[in-house]
Structures are given as C-alpha cells and as structure tokens.
C-alpha cells in the first residue's frame, strides 16, 4: 500500500512539473545598443592592431637590402603596345622593408581597358662560376605568379570616375584606374613600399634574381619588363 502511495505521489509531482514547464512564459530581451558598442570596440581594436603592426614593421631594423644589378629595360617585341623606354630605380641599395623609387618613360600606343593580365617570372641563380637559373614557384603570392587583372591594384579601381586620383598620381600625371589612356608617361620618384617578407616563404631568400614581367591583353602580349637584382642580408 505504501509503495502504491509513493508511486502516486511521484506521478503527481512529474505531472505538476510538466504542467509548470508548459505554462511558464519566457521573455527574451536583447540589448542592441550594447551589441553595437561591442562591435565598434572590436573594429577599433582591429584598426589599432593594424596601425601598431605597421609602426612596428617600419621601426624594426631592415632584414635585407636589394641591389639592382641590371637596370630595368624593355624585353618586348616590335608589336608591343606598352613600351618601357627607360626605367631607373633608386637608391642603389634598397632596405627591406623600405621604399623603392622608380623613374622613367613609358609609352602606351592605344587605350587599354580592364582586364590587363600579367605573369611574373622570378628566377634565382644557383651555383657559382658554373651556375644555372631556377624558376622560383609561386608561394603565398611571392615568386613566379600570375595576375588576372593588374587594374585591381590601382588605387581608384572600382571607384566612380568623379573620384580624384591620389595626390602622387596627379603630380606624376599617371593613370590611377583603368582604362589606361594612350600617351607618353614621364614619371619620377614614384615610391613603392617593399614590405618585410614573411617567415613562411620556403626558400633561402638571399642571392641573385632575374625578374621578368609579361603583360597581356585579350590573350595577346602587349609588353615586357626585365630587371636583375641581388638580395642580401643586412
């Protein structure tokens, strides 16, 4: 009898608990202002982290230096559309990270709309007096890589035509977006920042290199630029 009574009481307790769960109402509130504030703080933290990393890179002592051993020159054919009549670099030794300054004269025979593709071939000298040149594969965007459209690297890519070009582009009178208009372009002291190489590049960095840039448009070659450099430890 006691066993039956105990079972009845347990059953009543279970039913009562289920009834309470089914009838209880929950109110869920969300503090959207707090969420927005948190997201803004995360954006600010990410921005500051990026700024601090840039400052750290620029204040850190250079790891490498680049010596231009053979001045850049045109390696295209008579049918090329882009002609690199003269391209010089300075200073003689460029610290890495650091700024490489370009000056020169480039002629574009006709207007060129996007896309303008490119293939960069990087070859490294292996050996001493008896040596060979070995192609460096494309790894993490470094080496012998192909680019589907160089226009995307211009500062006003995908911006309205009404947007002004950056001051440096206006001063040098060079295009800041595609299409590239035909004409003669003289430029002096155009600075390119060379960032610190990442540690995960799986090749010894120091040595002699040949750099060849081939430009293509509509499946046809339109220009070529060659440069020889030596990369040394600081």
């Amino acid at each position: 009898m006691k066993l039956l009574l105990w079972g009845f009481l347990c059953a009543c307790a279970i039913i009562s608990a289920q009834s309470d769960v089914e009838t209880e109402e929950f109110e869920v509130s969300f503090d959207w202002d707090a969420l927005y504030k948190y997201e803004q703080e995360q954006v600010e933290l990410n921005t500051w982290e990026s700024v601090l990393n840039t400052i750290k890179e620029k204040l850190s002592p250079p790891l490498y230096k680049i010596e231009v051993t053979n001045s850049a020159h045109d390696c295209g054919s008579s049918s090329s559309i882009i002609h690199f009549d003269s391209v010089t670099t300075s200073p003689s030794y460029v610290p890495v990270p650091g700024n490489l300054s370009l000056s020169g004269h480039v002629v574009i025979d006709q207007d060129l709309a996007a896309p303008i593709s490119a293939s960069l071939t990087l070859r490294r000298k292996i050996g001493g007096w008896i040596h060979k040149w070995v192609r460096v594969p494309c790894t993490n965007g470094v080496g012998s890589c192909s680019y589907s459209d160089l226009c995307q690297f211009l500062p006003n890519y995908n911006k309205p035509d009404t947007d002004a070009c950056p001051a440096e582009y206006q001063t040098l009178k060079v295009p800041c977006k595609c299409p590239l208009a035909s004409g003669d372009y003289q430029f002096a002291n155009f600075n390119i920042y060379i960032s610190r190489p990442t540690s995960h590049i799986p090749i010894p960095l120091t040595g002699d290199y040949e750099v060849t840039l081939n430009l293509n448009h509509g499946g046809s070659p339109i220009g070529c630029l060659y440069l020889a450099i030596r990369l040394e430890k600081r």
Side-chain angles (χ1 to χ4, degrees):
M1 185 67 181
K2 289 182 179 180
L3 183 60
L4 291 174
L5 179 60
W6 181 82
F8 175 76
L9 292 175
C10 287
C12 290
I14 293 173
I15 294 172
S16 176
Q18 289 178 339
S19 176
D20 290 341
V21 171
E22 291 172 356
T23 58
E24 185 177 358
E25 295 182 358
F26 293 92
E27 292 185 3
V28 179
S29 61
F30 207 91
D31 192 339
W32 292 104
D33 292 336
L35 177 62
Y36 176 76
K37 181 179 179 181
Y38 172 78
E39 290 179 344
Q40 289 297 107
E41 290 174 349
Q42 294 303 307
V43 169
E44 291 176 3
L45 285 174
N46 291 336
T47 302
W48 276 109
E49 183 179 5
S50 175
V51 170
L52 291 174
N53 286 338
T54 301
I55 294 174
K56 179 181 177 182
E57 176 175 303
K58 292 190 175 182
L59 292 180
S60 299
L63 293 177
Y64 301 91
K65 61 180 180 180
I66 294 176
E67 177 191 6
V68 178
T69 57
N70 191 337
S71 298
H73 61 263
D74 193 294
C75 53
S77 65
S78 57
S79 61
S80 294
I81 296 174
I82 299 179
H83 309 277
F84 300 94
D85 285 352
S86 63
V87 178
T88 59
T89 59
S90 62
S92 300
Y93 283 91
V94 181
V96 180
N99 285 315
L100 171 66
S101 182
L102 295 177
S103 301
H105 176 217
V106 177
V107 179
I108 302 178
D109 290 339
Q110 66 183 55
D111 294 353
L112 294 171
I116 300 173
S117 61
S119 60
L120 182 70
T121 302
L122 182 65
R123 300 198 307 161
R124 183 170 182 266
K125 182 180 178 182
I126 303 295
W129 185 66
I130 300 177
H131 63 271
K132 61 180 179 179
W133 291 90
V134 178
R135 185 177 181 273
V136 179
C138 183
T139 305
N140 299 314
V142 177
S144 302
C145 303
S146 297
Y147 306 92
S148 59
D149 187 11
L150 293 183
C151 295
Q152 63 183 315
F153 298 112
L154 293 175
N156 279 32
Y157 176 71
N158 270 348
K159 290 184 178 181
D161 292 338
T162 52
D163 284 16
C165 289
E168 186 174 17
Y169 284 75
Q170 293 186 47
T171 301
L172 297 174
K173 296 181 180 179
V174 294
C176 64
K177 65 177 298 184
C178 290
L180 304 180
S182 61
D184 289 21
Y185 294 96
Q186 296 274 359
F187 56 94
N189 301 320
F190 185 80
N191 290 320
I192 298 176
Y193 182 70
I194 302 176
S195 61
R196 183 182 299 270
T198 54
S199 58
H200 56 264
I201 299 175
I203 59 172
L205 292 178
T206 56
D208 292 310
Y209 293 87
E210 288 184 335
V211 185
T212 305
L213 177 67
N214 286 287
L215 304 175
N216 296 276
H217 186 261
S220 300
I222 59 172
C224 177
L225 182 66
Y226 171 88
L227 178 68
I229 61 173
R230 176 176 294 122
L231 187 63
E232 301 175 354
K233 274 278 192 181
R234 289 286 289 182

